[in-house]
Every structure is written in structure tokens, then in C-alpha cells.
């Protein structure tokens, strides 16, 4: 049985409260992080304990961390990467000692995710994150932060921290000699280094796909399709080397067969983000309500594929619409994600009951 969760950024960073999450039917845990941590630093034991105690006091559990961010030196393969890998290993050890066993991370250069609009208005009056290739082609990467920040509702968005975006030009220069092959090699180096601590503390590493699933601004992106995922699983063939299956990220490329990808990853999906997209054209998509009919994904088939492979890890509704006048971090309001969690739970229950009754005949 999967574990329904919601993402929570922590007190002082999230408009959504733990007591509110606790009241969403079926949600028993959160996916959280030390949001003010800096990539490359070792997480303090006291802060991890305090976070765990705060979540537990609300009647919830921490089902995973999203994210322990990876320093650019590791992705680039800089001479100082071993120092940052050692810090990462120590953080994993401390998480394992606190009985936290799943870490979502990404290996995307410069930008963690890319959207060209944070509040596109839909026909029903809700607003959503959206992407158009034409807008990307027309903008200087260094200007992206200003565009994103003005629609952030005053929240600091994950992957778009001001101090990081202030160095965009320098980051692009550092990645100048990094192509897909080198990025794969650097990922392999990192994973081989951390697998011993993952095995010791039973920590599942769940890499998040690139979003969108193609090169943006000429930067290499490798976690994009079934072929590249198979390569990654094979190059470090350890059950703790797994994936976050994000339907919304892989689904940005309509050529990706989402249920087939899920079935090809049996035993290696450690975390699932389930959300829907609506395509206006191949180069113009917007995020939709989780309901299948509101977008272009068959959410029943996605959830059924997870059920069929025996997925029993944490799952969460992903980016939601902004509805009912809520002001929150774009994509991370309470209301539409609560609706999404309930919908996914309903799909799972229906699939589980129909399967069980079929077996009993």
C-alpha cells in the first residue's frame, strides 16, 4: 500500500500548516526538508531532530526529504567535489540515524525546473504554472529570475533562491564543458560514493526527472526518458539507486509512455509525484487539476501502473492550481493539492478493490 503524503516546506517558509495537512483524508505523512540549508553543507543533527519532533507533534510522520540539494561542484565534476560528497554522505548518515529513509534529489544544471508563467489564468478562473518554448527562446537566462520572482507571491521558490540566481552567469560558464556524457559520468561518481552509506542505513535515493524533459538554454539534461533511466539503473545497479517518478516532468514530453515507464522501473521507484498537464501545443503546456478529464494524462492508468508493480512508497499530489482566492507559493497551495490527494486515494482504492475482488472470484 502506498503512503499518501503532501510536501511541506517548514514553518516560516510554507503558508500551509501541519494541522491542515493532518486533516486531509488519507494523508499520514509529509515530504519535507531543511529549506534554509545551503547546497554542499552538512545538515545539523539538532535541526533534523527538531524538524522530526515538530512533524510528529502534529500527528504526522516524515516519509522522506525533498531535497538534499547537490552542490554544483559535484554535477560539474570540479576538483573540490569530494569534499562536498563527504558532506552529503554525513547528511545521509544523520538522516538514517533519525529513521528517515528516502531522499529525493535532482541532477539538473543551473535551473531545478523551468516555467515561463507562474499564474496563467485558466477558463475556470484558477491560475497555474505554464511553459512555452517561444518565451524561453526569447529570454536571456540571466533575466529568468526576475521574471519568476515577480509572480512568486512573496515566497522563495525551491531551486530559484536569490543567492543562487545571482550567480547564473558564472554557473553557465562553469557548465560550459559539461555535456550529457560528462553529466552521466559525474552522476555515476556521486552515486558510487554514496551507496555504502545508503546500504548501511537503508536510504533510498530517488532522483527527480528534469523538468521539462529536454535541454533548456543549451544545458545538458539526462533524466528525461525510459532509455536514460535504464542506463542510470544499470550503471549503478543497486536497489537504493532509484527514481522519483514524476508524471508531470516526464509527461512534458508527449513521446514518453508514462505507464510503460513505470512498469519498466519495478522495484526502483522510491517516490511518486502524480499530477496532470494540459497541452495547447507540443511547445505550450499548462498544469491542470489532477482529474484526468482536466488535462491530457490518463491518471487511472498511471496510478494502476504503480499499483501493478507493487509500489508501496510515499506518493504525493504535485503542483496544484491556485483556487478559491488562496495566496501561497505557486503550485503549492493547500486546497487543490488536498483535492488531488483525495482523488489519487480514490483511484487507488478503486483499483485495489477491483483487483482484490477479481482475485477472489
Amino acid at each position: 500500500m502506498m503512503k499518501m503524503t503532501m510536501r511541506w516546506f517548514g514553518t516560516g517558509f510554507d503558508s500551509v500548516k501541519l494541522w491542515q495537512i493532518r486533516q486531509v483524508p488519507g494523508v499520514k505523512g509529509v515530504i519535507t526538508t531543511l529549506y534554509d540549508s545551503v547546497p554542499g553543507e552538512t545538515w545539523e543533527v539538532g535541526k533534523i531532530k527538531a524538524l522530526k519532533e515538530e512533524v510528529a507533534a502534529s500527528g504526522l510522520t516524515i516519509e522522506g526529504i525533498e531535497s538534499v540539494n547537490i552542490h554544483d561542484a559535484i554535477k560539474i565534476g570540479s576538483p573540490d567535489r569530494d569534499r562536498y560528497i563527504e558532506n552529503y554522505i554525513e547528511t545521509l548518515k544523520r538522516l538514517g540515524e533519525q529513521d528517515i529513509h528516502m531522499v529525493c534529489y535532482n541532477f539538473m544544471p543551473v535551473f531545478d525546473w523551468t516555467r515561463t508563467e507562474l499564474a496563467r489564468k485558466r477558463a475556470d478562473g484558477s491560475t497555474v504554472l505554464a511553459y512555452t518554448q517561444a518565451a524561453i527562446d526569447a529570454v536571456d537566462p540571466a533575466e529568468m529570475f526576475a521574471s519568476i520572482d515577480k509572480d512568486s507571491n512573496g515566497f522563495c521558490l525551491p531551486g530559484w533562491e536569490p543567492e543562487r540566481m545571482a550567480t547564473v552567469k558564472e554557473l553557465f560558464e562553469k557548465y560550459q564543458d559539461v555535456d550529457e556524457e560528462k553529466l552521466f559520468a559525474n552522476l555515476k561518481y556521486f552515486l558510487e560514493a554514496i551507496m555504502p552509506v545508503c546500504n548501511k542505513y537503508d536510504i533510498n535515493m530517488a532522483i527527480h526527472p528534469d523538468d521539462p524533459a529536454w535541454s533548456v538554454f543549451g544545458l545538458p539534461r539526462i533524466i528525461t526518458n525510459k532509455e536514460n533511466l535504464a542506463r542510470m539503473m544499470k550503471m549503478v545497479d543497486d536497489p537504493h539507486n532509484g527514481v522519483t517518478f514524476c508524471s508531470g516532468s516526464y509527461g512534458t514530453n508527449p513521446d514518453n509512455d508514462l505507464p510503460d515507464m513505470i512498469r519498466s522501473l519495478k522495484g526502483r521507484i522510491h517516490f511518486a509525484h502524480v499530477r496532470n498537464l494540459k497541452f495547447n501545443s507540443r511547445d505550450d503546456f499548462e498544469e491542470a487539476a489532477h482529474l484526468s478529464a482536466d488535462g491530457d494524462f490518463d491518471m487511472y492508468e498511471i496510478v494502476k501502473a504503480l499499483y501493478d508493480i507493487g509500489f508501496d512508497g510515499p506518493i504525493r499530489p504535485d503542483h496544484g492550481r491556485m483556487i478559491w482566492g488562496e495566496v501561497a507559493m505557486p503550485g503549492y497551495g493547500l486546497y487543490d493539492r488536498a483535492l488531488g490527494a483525495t482523488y489519487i486515494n480514490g483511484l487507488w482504492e478503486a483499483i485495489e478493490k477491483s483487483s482484490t475482488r477479481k482475485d477472489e472470484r
Side-chain angles (χ1 to χ4, degrees), residues 158-198:
W160 292 85
E161 296 80 8
E163 61 274 10
R164 176 176 171 77
M165 291 301 100
T167 63
V168 164
K169 288 183 179 179
E170 291 87 341
L171 282 172
F172 265 82
E173 290 172 4
K174 290 177 180 178
Y175 279 99
Q176 193 169 14
D177 296 325
V178 180
D179 58 13
E180 288 191 3
E181 287 303 312
K182 188 168 184 182
L183 198 59
F184 259 120
N186 293 340
L187 176 58
K188 183 173 186 285
Y189 185 92
F190 168 71
L191 287 170
E192 287 177 339
I194 68 170
M195 279 301 107
V197 74
C198 291

Side-chain angles (χ1 to χ4, degrees), residues 6 16 118-130 153 274-278 286-291 293-295 317-340 343:
M6 288 182 69
V16 181
L118 299 186
R120 178 183 288 183
K121 195 166 185 178
R122 304 190 78 213
D124 62 5
S126 64
T127 60
V128 294
L129 307 179
N153 293 332
V274 178
R275 61 180 165 92
N276 202 355
L277 293 180
K278 177 69 177 176
E286 59 193 48
E287 300 187 355
H290 288 76
L291 182 72
D294 198 55
D318 206 358
H319 308 160
R321 302 167 301 150
M322 206 60 66
I323 60 173
W324 302 339
E326 185 177 20
V327 177
M329 186 185 297
Y332 286 102
L334 171 66
Y335 306 142
D336 201 45
R337 286 191 301 148
L339 293 175
Y343 173 63

